[in-house]
Amino acid sequence: MPLKLAVLFVLLAIAGAEDPYRFFTWNVSYGNIYPLGVRQQGILINGQFPGPDIYSVTNDNLIINVFNSLDEPFLISWNGIQNRRNSFEDGVYGTTCPIPPGKNFTYILQVKDQIGSFYYFPSLAFHKAAGGFGGIRILSRPRIPVPFSDPAGDYTVLIGDWFKKNHTDLKAILDRGRKLPFPDGILINGRGPNGVSFTVQQGKTYRLRISNVGLQNSLNFRVEGHKMTLVEVEGTHTLQTSYSSLDVHVGQSYSVLITADQEAKDHYIVVSSRFTSKVITTTGVLHYANSNTQVSGPPPGGPTIQVDWSLNQARSIRTNLTASGPRPNPQGSYHYGMINTTKTIRLSSSAGQVNGKQRYAINSVSFVPADTPLKIADYFKIGGVFRVGSISDAPTGGGIYLDTSVLGADYRAFIEIVFENNEDIIQSYHLNGYSFFVVGMDGGQWTTASRNQYNLRDAVSRCTTQVYPKSWTAIYVALDNVGMWNLRSEFWARQYLGQQLYLRVYTDSTSLRDEYPIPKNALLCGRASGRRTRPL
């Protein structure tokens, strides 16, 4: 075969094997919503609250054209989507310029080597308190085995605490340096008590993809009279453990299977707050299709302030080592516990006042946004926007101060991060661009001896982890994704007032494995305004 013809066949084969594209057009607008019986200004996507689900398959390319019909800038971030080599598309202000009012921007994402249950949300200006969020599901490719039978139905269940105040009023409270009040209630898929119903057929099994999209409260999820079998956590197939109720901390996502094997009547779905002096509760309905009996009586109770109960449950969540993930090889074929860590980063939260206003910090640094997104400044080599190393990799014990905190790390390093919580509230942390192994968590102070109790065999890999009061949580991360990545508190007021940082994963080398160049359609703002999308 002539060489040119052989090359042509190879090129055609590559083109034919290109991963599928899915196209979405979204209009983001204000609209009246009444989730707790009071009219509020909500943020709608294509007129929907919550927004539409994103359905995809491993390796799909997602082209999402977002039109901003609000009167203020807007960004959407993709909780759990790794945006490999592409942090420009991450949708937080440290990486992406906001979409101006009346303009649009097309996000170009790929769910490369991912499966599972995630969600999207608006990341700017406390918009998350007004809606604009929705579910993301990434299905396995047809030839990849899944460790359970196809369910009869697959439901997105977005739970979260909620305020009756508009997001602008909540933002104003924070901007004045005050703390938010206690939430007014809890929503399930944007509805208040008994406002949502899921219909099931007797004897069949259903998948519930549960995400806590709220602002600050850990929530307990349960279904009256039914056991839930956990099967997936943020892209990892888990050991199939049965639970009567499940703690879902802020920012976390779980998939459970539930079988309609009880009396053919309506049953309560219950969501209640955890670790709060005042317990708030909401309900939905699991409706059997052949039921003529509505829910009645008090909904079943659940755990309230018990930390040990939640800690033991968290430790019971393990990776299914023999199941496939996004690829056919077993999840257990990656022996993370046999890899030596090259660096330990210890991160400790704190709360206090700066210039008479409430602030929150990590290692004493309370994050303040720069005038230009950090990734954009890094790409165009704009000096004076941020400084790598502006935050220590261990607690300093000093008072809180303001800075644009960026922590440097080497590409392909394998590191340990320890979240230390000396406060008396539960914390929840998320790292964009990555999944990490939650190798340990316990009460008290972390020491090097704490490593003796790490799970180095089947720890769950996920992107959001809780840290219990006066406790620590340790994770292992393989830094295989070049870029600028947001590490933040999922308590949204704390994130807004400084409890976040950026991890700059960098390499000096230049190769096809490095980060993609900035997209031609990129919005440019701040000191990058007027520049070309390719540096000279």
Side-chain angles (χ1 to χ4, degrees), residues 455-491:
N455 176 2
L456 299 181
R457 182 174 181 270
D458 60 355
V460 70
S461 176
R462 63 186 314 166
C463 54
T464 308
T465 187
Q466 71 273 29
V467 192
Y468 291 100
K470 305 289 186 183
S471 301
W472 57 268
T473 294
I475 65 174
Y476 281 177
V477 193
L479 297 181
D480 58 357
N481 196 8
V482 174
M484 186 80 70
W485 303 107
N486 187 222
L487 190 157
R488 62 176 177 269
S489 169
E490 285 288 353
F491 285 31

Side-chain angles (χ1 to χ4, degrees), residues 173-252:
I173 292 172
L174 297 173
D175 289 341
R176 291 195 297 269
R178 295 164 51 195
K179 296 180 180 180
L180 292 184
F182 193 73
D184 296 299
I186 296 172
L187 305 186
I188 303 175
N189 286 356
R191 305 293 184 266
N194 288 345
V196 66
S197 178
F198 301 95
T199 299
V200 296
Q201 298 283 342
Q202 185 93 37
K204 293 188 176 181
T205 298
Y206 297 81
R207 183 173 183 170
L208 306 181
R209 299 174 186 262
I210 308 162
S211 294
N212 185 340
V213 299
L215 299 176
Q216 65 187 53
N217 283 111
S218 298
L219 300 174
N220 182 265
F221 182 92
R222 52 198 181 272
V223 181
E224 181 184 23
H226 293 72
K227 294 286 188 180
M228 298 178 291
T229 301
L230 185 66
V231 293
E232 177 254 330
V233 173
E234 296 165 17
T236 298
H237 286 134
T238 62
L239 292 179
Q240 296 183 15
T241 306
S242 180
Y243 300 100
S244 57
S245 71
L246 188 64
D247 277 354
V248 187
H249 306 282
V250 185
Q252 293 185 339

Side-chain angles (χ1 to χ4, degrees), residues 312-501:
N312 290 334
Q313 182 178 84
R315 287 172 170 167
S316 73
I317 298 172
R318 304 293 183 95
T319 295
N320 184 336
L321 297 178
T322 60
S324 297
R327 296 186 179 189
N329 49 302
Q331 293 178 137
S333 59
Y334 183 76
H335 301 287
Y336 68 92
M338 300 177 67
I339 305 173
N340 292 327
T341 57
T342 56
K343 183 176 185 177
T344 295
I345 297 173
R346 294 168 51 219
L347 303 176
S348 178
S349 65
S350 57
Q353 298 252 323
V354 177
N355 300 324
K357 292 187 174 182
Q358 182 67 44
R359 298 293 299 188
Y360 301 94
I362 297 175
N363 289 358
S364 300
V365 185
S366 185
F367 182 89
V368 289
D371 60 4
T372 304
L374 308 181
K375 186 61 213 175
I376 300 293
D378 201 21
Y379 185 80
F380 286 110
K381 297 180 171 56
I382 302 172
V385 175
F386 69 91
R387 179 175 62 87
V388 177
S390 51
I391 180 173
S392 170
D393 61 8
T396 64
I400 295 176
Y401 62 95
L402 307 179
D403 204 346
T404 303
S405 38
V406 178
L407 193 60
D410 293 332
Y411 178 52
R412 294 207 177 279
F414 189 79
I415 68 171
E416 172 188 44
I417 299 178
V418 182
F419 298 103
E420 300 179 5
N421 181 13
N422 296 315
E423 301 181 70
D424 58 4
I425 66 167
I426 190 169
Q427 306 266 1
S428 185
Y429 284 97
H430 177 86
L431 176 59
N432 281 7
Y434 287 95
S435 286
F436 46 73
F437 295 95
V438 185
V439 293
M441 55 177 63
D442 205 354
Q445 290 289 327
W446 180 89
T447 68
T448 55
S450 301
R451 294 177 178 139
N452 295 331
Q453 61 179 283
Y454 282 4
N455 176 2
L456 299 181
R457 182 174 181 270
D458 60 355
V460 70
S461 176
R462 63 186 314 166
C463 54
T464 308
T465 187
Q466 71 273 29
V467 192
Y468 291 100
K470 305 289 186 183
S471 301
W472 57 268
T473 294
I475 65 174
Y476 281 177
V477 193
L479 297 181
D480 58 357
N481 196 8
V482 174
M484 186 80 70
W485 303 107
N486 187 222
L487 190 157
R488 62 176 177 269
S489 169
E490 285 288 353
F491 285 31
W492 216 238
R494 296 180 74 108
Q495 175 273 153
Y496 182 80
L497 293 180
Q499 194 173 324
Q500 61 171 307
L501 58 86

